[in-house]
Amino acid sequence: MNSCIVGLQWGDEGKGKIVDILADNCDIVVRYSGGANAGHTVIVGNDRFALHLLPSGAVRQNIVCVITNAVVVDPETLLKEIETFQQKNITLTDRLLISENAHIVLDYHKIEDQLREESLGKNKLGTTVRGIGPCYADKVGRNHALRMGDLRNLQNLREKLQTIVEYKNKIFEALYNTEPISADTIFKKCKSYADKLLSFTTDTTEFLHKSIADGKSILFEGAQGTLLDIDHGTFPFVTSSNSSALGISAGSGVPVRMIDKFIGVAKAYTTRVGAGPFPTEQDNEIGQYIRDKGGEYGTTTGRPRRCGWFDAVAVSYSVTIGAIDSIALMHLDTLSGLKDVNICKAYKINGKETSFFPANTNKLARVSPVYETIPGWQQDLTDVKDFHDLPNNAQNYICRIEETTGKPVTIIGVGPKRTQTIFR
Ligand code: IMP
């Protein structure tokens, strides 16, 4: 049985915890898009893991972890993560596979990300500055791309680097008046990446298809969220990959028809980092309450996240384009203590109501949310183990989310630990 877990909002939905829990029943966990811009927090016992590139299933010793073609690999971050695991006596030897066709994020991508953002001033996208956009741009542009498999032929790689770095230096100098970067320095780093990472590098598409033929069970782990998808999200305030469920096939080489179950993860409210329209944003004391109670600060950048009410229009859109079967609703405990809670069940645009999310920034910036108000609950939920032990108002809130999104909420998060999860 193959399944996938994707975010239904603008990322940070709590996918890491759900992947970690569901990984228990599978053999292989796959990262299929994005790069070290992702931040997944997994808490096991007293250990807290902040993962950026390794699939969240990596914390379980018996799971094989695969990083496929469409992931952009930042070797420095990956090596740090491998080291953190080693320090906790968790080995990845023989159970981490990195696609030889995955593109490599190098220093000049991060520099370019930073320079571009700075040059945009108040119009910046608010990227994570991890070099994601520039690396994907080089991939699509083809001439200046380097992939993990290129680490196998260092002489060739040195020549390619010379051409790339000369080109980048010309641009950086002309546009931003910066000091030139050195191809030698980057090459030295690449040599060390080759030493440390080539043993993990392979044809992951072949591995995945052989594993499927052998009856292995695979869990595909989405990064970011559907609304940050480069083609189907809120462009240009998106990431540079297909972060929705639609990206699984292109990203991993496994056709969607081979995936049996699609689980969408959403928070019981909405958050967003970076710029872009956010119809249900609460830039007020309610937003601050959610931010403080929910610890809504970025795992990757530490930035405070923008917070707002649950947007059923946005989540329904993600459910539709992802063919989502069921929803995992996270952070329900964060909403305890509010007098009322709101669900946005439609948008008003030009005086008309619509319930289909416009994945177009110009339109989205003009909508106003139509809310349904539900009485809140005051009780702490962090010890609740069963749906029927939740306060009536919290049960009612979940039922309304099911009705407005059309999908069952089968998993409810009431705290960060594995044990703070209600299954229905
Ligand atoms: P980039 O992916 O670093 O280029 O950033 C583009 C946009 O996606 C920015 O608004 C980021 O804040 C957002 N973004 C990227 N990765 C994540 C994530 O893992 N969670 C939430 N937002 C993200």
Side-chain angles (χ1 to χ4, degrees):
M1 158 112 158
N2 301 320
S3 47
C4 83
I5 288 173
V6 287
L8 300 177
Q9 295 159 320
W10 279 285
D12 308 317
E13 295 92 351
K15 296 177 290 294
K17 175 178 156 176
I18 298 299
V19 172
D20 172 51
I21 291 171
L22 299 184
D24 214 12
N25 296 319
C26 70
D27 306 299
I28 300 164
V29 178
V30 175
R31 258 297 294 272
Y32 62 86
S33 72
N37 48 350
H40 294 156
T41 308
V42 181
I43 297 176
V44 186
N46 293 328
D47 285 329
R48 188 186 187 91
F49 297 84
L51 303 175
H52 301 286
L53 269 165
L54 285 173
S56 305
V59 299
R60 296 183 183 264
Q61 302 262 21
N62 55 333
I63 298 280
V64 175
C65 301
V66 183
I67 295 176
T68 64
N69 303 30
V71 176
V72 286
V73 177
D74 175 348
E76 247 152 68
T77 306
L78 184 57
L79 286 167
K80 264 191 218 142
E81 281 177 23
I82 294 174
E83 204 181 301
T84 311
F85 272 59
Q86 276 163 351
Q87 282 160 3
K88 296 188 196 287
N89 288 326
I90 303 177
T91 176
L92 288 152
T93 311
D94 297 330
R95 66 178 192 98
L96 170 64
L97 278 72
I98 308 167
S99 169
E100 60 197 6
N101 293 335
H103 287 251
I104 311 177
V105 178
L106 291 169
D107 287 350
Y108 49 78
H109 293 125
K110 294 180 211 172
I111 295 171
E112 193 175 336
D113 203 352
Q114 173 114 35
L115 291 171
R116 278 201 203 181
E117 281 287 89
E118 278 168 9
S119 73
L120 287 170
K122 67 176 178 34
N123 295 322
K124 67 182 178 183
L125 298 177
T127 74
T128 59
V129 206
R130 298 294 156 114
I132 305 299
C135 184
Y136 277 113
D138 278 349
K139 163 181 158 173
V140 178
R142 294 156 299 165
N143 304 334
H144 293 148
L146 288 175
R147 313 210 277 186
M148 288 301 293
D150 288 317
L151 295 174
R152 291 199 185 110
N153 185 339
L154 288 175
Q155 197 181 334
N156 224 334
L157 180 93
R158 181 68 188 81
E159 282 163 25
K160 282 190 183 173
L161 263 181
Q162 191 62 33
T163 315
I164 298 171
V165 170
E166 271 173 22
Y167 176 85
K168 300 272 179 199
N169 276 337
K170 277 188 200 147
I171 305 253
F172 291 171
E173 243 179 303
L175 291 183
Y176 309 109
N177 200 22
T178 55
E179 291 292 310
I181 47 174
S182 147
D184 273 338
T185 310
I186 296 180
F187 180 62
K188 266 191 209 136
K189 287 189 180 184
C190 286
K191 275 205 303 201
S192 114
Y193 302 153
D195 285 346
K196 294 174 184 156
L197 292 176
L198 273 180
S199 59
F200 300 110
T201 305
T202 187
D203 183 335
T204 52
T205 310
E206 183 184 3
F207 172 79
L208 289 175
H209 280 279
K210 279 191 175 152
S211 304
I212 292 170
D214 288 346
K216 301 279 189 222
S217 168
I218 304 177
L219 180 62
F220 292 85
E221 167 177 345
Q224 288 83 43
T226 301
L227 305 176
L228 288 173
D229 187 288
I230 181 80
D231 292 307
H232 302 282
T234 51
F235 189 90
F237 304 104
V238 291
T239 190
S240 299
S241 62
N242 285 118
S243 51
S244 66
L246 294 163
I248 298 176
S249 296
S252 68
V254 176
V256 159
R257 65 189 290 189
M258 290 181 159
I259 299 168
D260 309 287
K261 199 166 158 195
F262 289 75
I263 301 162
V265 186
K267 271 181 194 155
Y269 46 90
T270 313
T271 63
R272 176 163 207 183
V273 268
F278 178 176
T280 62
E281 181 167 18
Q282 297 300 298
D283 190 11
N284 53 30
E285 68 287 355
I286 289 180
Q288 191 58 44
Y289 181 86
I290 294 174
R291 187 175 305 116
D292 290 342
K293 196 140 186 275
E296 293 296 353
Y297 295 87
T299 316
T300 303
T301 58
R303 287 181 291 179
R305 296 180 183 140
R306 299 159 66 194
C307 299
W309 296 121
F310 186 85
D311 186 340
V313 180
V315 170
S316 299
Y317 167 76
S318 301
V319 160
T320 303
I321 69 164
I324 298 300
D325 297 305
S326 62
I327 296 176
L329 192 74
M330 312 308 287
H331 273 268
L332 185 67
D333 54 301
T334 300
L335 295 181
S336 293
L338 291 167
K339 184 171 161 285
D340 295 311
V341 281
N342 284 329
I343 293 177
C344 169
K345 55 180 187 176
Y347 291 158
K348 239 184 189 164
I349 182 158
N350 298 334
K352 281 193 194 141
E353 262 192 32
T354 177
S355 55
F356 197 84
F357 181 81
N360 172 299
T361 295
N362 293 334
K363 284 190 196 159
L364 191 63
R366 287 187 289 120
V367 306
S368 46
V370 179
Y371 287 120
E372 172 176 330
T373 300
I374 292 161
W377 56 92
Q378 307 311 308
Q379 300 89 323
D380 173 48
L381 306 184
T382 50
D383 284 328
V384 177
K385 303 273 180 260
D386 189 278
F387 178 76
H388 298 287
D389 294 333
L390 287 169
N392 284 344
N393 289 351
Q395 290 188 30
N396 189 25
Y397 182 64
I398 289 167
C399 292
R400 285 303 294 141
I401 286 179
E402 291 183 318
E403 281 155 14
T404 48
T405 59
K407 292 294 160 189
V409 172
T410 52
I411 300 175
I412 300 158
V414 289
K417 297 189 187 143
R418 272 182 191 164
T419 48
Q420 292 173 307
T421 313
I422 299 171
F423 295 91
R424 287 169 83 201

